[in-house]
Amino acid sequence: MSEENQNQGDLKIKQQSIGAGHTPVKAGQAPAGTGAMSLGKSNQLAALSTSDNTSALQAVILERKLKYQEKLESGEPNTELKHAKLGGDKALSFRRRFTNNAIAASMWMCGLLVLAILASIGYELIRRGIGIISPYFLSVSMKGVYGGMEAGGIYHAMVGTLLITLVAAVISVPIGLLVAIYLTEYAGNTKFAKLTTTLVDVMTGIPSIVAGLFAAALFTIVIGPAYRSGLMGAVALSVLMIPLVVRSSAEMLRLVPNDLREASYALGVPKWRTVISVVLRTSAAGLVTSVVVAIARIVGETAPLLITAGMFDAINNNVFSGRMETLPVYIYQQYTSTVSCAAHAVNCNPTINVDRAWGAALVLVFAVLVLNLGARFVAKKLSIGK
């Protein structure tokens, strides 16, 4: 310790001896004999570095100090950064301003075009469907209705849509969420995870009629070719719904910061509980939105239900037995049916089928709108910090 203190004392004495001849220089002025002074300091540094009491590390420190002092003495002018005004008319050329305005105008036109299309669809639905909407139309089925009779309603189709969609959601949501959790929390970057992701992407793009054919073939092998039920339709819809839930839920789970997971692990919480209490809780709003969007996507499917659930004019509350009609199939059936009335026919309306189709379409779009608004409301309630 005494030798080290002596070395430090000698180092301070030598530093003072180096700076003793230093004369402060005003900023912006080059001192006279700067080169000679630098040369003298370099000679002193070399002599100091070869001294017995000075280590190599201390010599390096002194060298950097001398360089910093020389930089201050050189009087280098300060440079100021000039920030360019982004978007300023004077800074941009005419060509850039024209391109910018043209692209902005095209974006506005695209947005207005989408709004115009949505407004046109909504106007047409309301204009042609609101006339037939009534408590009677919403509370009766088509049993016993034929020809151009101004009777019948969509109650049986609403019941079928609700039951089939509910069963499809019960099948799809647990499977989709579990697959999403596996891909984001457990699988990592393994080959099986990549294969699963690829298969999910392929399933997302398959035609809906293929899902119907798959469900029909499955139940034909298991039960028989004559079997038709709402359950078969629900299985067909679940084939379409599962990949949607997997992809959207996986994206929501990836948005959870890893810091939350690491903090939970640091407290000794096991991984399964971290997933349930931290990851799923944090992404609950996004997961609910993903599920509701997937339900809204399949609620309007027609082709797979034509093959599986079929058409039925009466009310059927049993999902496991018998044909069951849904609103999309009802719209297709009514719009493609033709009615011809005799010259003196009583209670015959040649356009009643088309009117029923527009009324059912309005109810279906309203149901999808309610689903989306409900998803937003639930997501807002489940959001952290709300």
Side-chain angles (χ1 to χ4, degrees):
M1 291 295 293
S2 60
E3 183 179 357
E4 183 178 355
N5 294 333
Q6 182 179 359
N7 293 338
Q8 291 181 357
D10 296 340
L11 178 62
K12 290 181 179 179
I13 293 172
K14 293 175 182 178
Q15 288 178 357
Q16 292 174 1
S17 65
I18 291 175
H22 172 64
T23 303
V25 181
K26 295 183 180 179
Q29 296 181 357
T34 303
M37 185 180 295
S38 300
L39 182 59
K41 290 180 180 179
S42 299
N43 294 333
Q44 292 177 358
L45 179 62
L48 184 63
S49 62
T50 58
S51 175
D52 296 336
N53 298 326
T54 305
S55 65
L57 178 60
Q58 292 169 342
V60 172
I61 294 174
L62 286 176
E63 181 182 3
R64 292 189 178 182
K65 274 188 168 184
L66 292 175
K67 286 183 178 180
Y68 180 72
Q69 290 177 0
E70 290 175 3
K71 186 176 181 181
L72 293 178
E73 293 169 359
S74 63
E76 295 179 356
N78 295 329
T79 58
E80 297 181 356
L81 295 177
K82 296 182 179 180
H83 300 282
K85 290 185 177 180
L86 298 178
D89 292 339
K90 295 181 179 180
L92 296 176
S93 63
F94 173 77
R95 180 180 178 182
R96 292 179 65 186
R97 282 187 280 114
F98 175 78
T99 305
N100 182 54
N101 295 332
I103 294 177
S106 63
M107 296 298 102
W108 275 99
M109 291 180 62
C110 292
L112 293 176
L113 178 61
V114 172
L115 290 178
I117 294 173
L118 291 176
S120 175
I121 294 174
Y123 171 76
E124 195 68 14
L125 280 172
I126 295 173
R127 184 180 71 86
R128 303 190 65 171
I130 196 65
I132 199 172
I133 300 295
S134 65
Y136 172 80
F137 182 71
L138 299 175
S139 59
V140 298
S141 66
M142 291 294 294
K143 187 176 181 179
V145 179
Y146 57 90
M149 294 176 58
E150 293 186 348
I154 60 172
Y155 179 74
H156 64 297
M158 290 193 301
V159 172
T161 301
L162 178 62
L163 293 177
I164 291 177
T165 305
L166 181 61
V167 175
V170 170
I171 297 173
S172 304
V173 172
I175 297 175
L177 288 179
L178 290 176
V179 173
I181 292 172
Y182 169 75
L183 292 176
T184 56
E185 303 296 328
Y186 292 95
N189 199 24
T190 60
K191 292 183 179 180
F192 184 73
K194 294 179 180 179
L195 177 62
T196 304
T197 304
T198 303
L199 293 178
V200 169
D201 293 338
V202 172
M203 289 180 63
T204 305
I206 64 173
S208 58
I209 190 67
V210 176
L213 291 173
F214 167 77
L218 176 64
F219 279 88
T220 299
I221 296 173
V222 175
I223 299 177
Y227 181 77
R228 293 291 183 275
S229 68
L231 179 62
M232 185 185 295
V235 171
L237 293 182
S238 66
V239 174
L240 300 174
M241 186 175 175
I242 287 175
L244 299 177
V245 176
V246 171
R247 291 311 304 267
S248 56
S249 300
E251 293 300 326
M252 293 298 106
L253 294 175
R254 290 191 182 99
L255 293 178
V256 178
N258 286 328
D259 295 341
L260 297 179
R261 297 180 176 89
E262 293 173 358
S264 179
Y265 297 151
L267 295 175
V269 180
K271 188 165 187 175
W272 67 268
R273 191 169 181 181
T274 299
V275 172
I276 295 175
S277 302
V278 177
V279 178
L280 293 181
R281 176 64 185 89
T282 306
S283 59
L287 295 178
V288 171
T289 304
S290 302
V291 171
V292 176
V293 169
I295 292 175
R297 163 69 176 80
I298 66 167
V299 76
E301 288 294 340
T302 306
L305 297 177
L306 281 172
I307 300 173
T308 55
M311 301 178 183
F312 195 57
D313 293 337
I315 301 172
N316 181 13
N317 296 322
N318 189 358
V319 183
F320 302 98
S321 177
R323 296 175 180 268
M324 183 177 289
E325 194 164 72
T326 60
L327 281 173
V329 176
Y330 177 88
I331 295 170
Y332 170 79
Q333 181 185 14
Q334 293 296 318
Y335 199 82
T336 56
S337 300
T338 57
V339 176
S340 58
C341 297
H344 302 286
V346 179
N347 191 19
C348 183
N349 185 354
T351 63
I352 187 63
N353 289 349
V354 177
D355 295 338
R356 292 196 197 104
W358 280 104
L362 180 60
V363 172
L364 182 61
V365 171
F366 180 76
V368 174
L369 178 62
V370 170
L371 281 174
N372 284 276
L373 293 178
R376 290 176 176 270
F377 177 77
V378 174
K380 185 177 180 181
K381 290 297 182 181
L382 292 177
S383 297
I384 295 179
K386 298 295 183 181

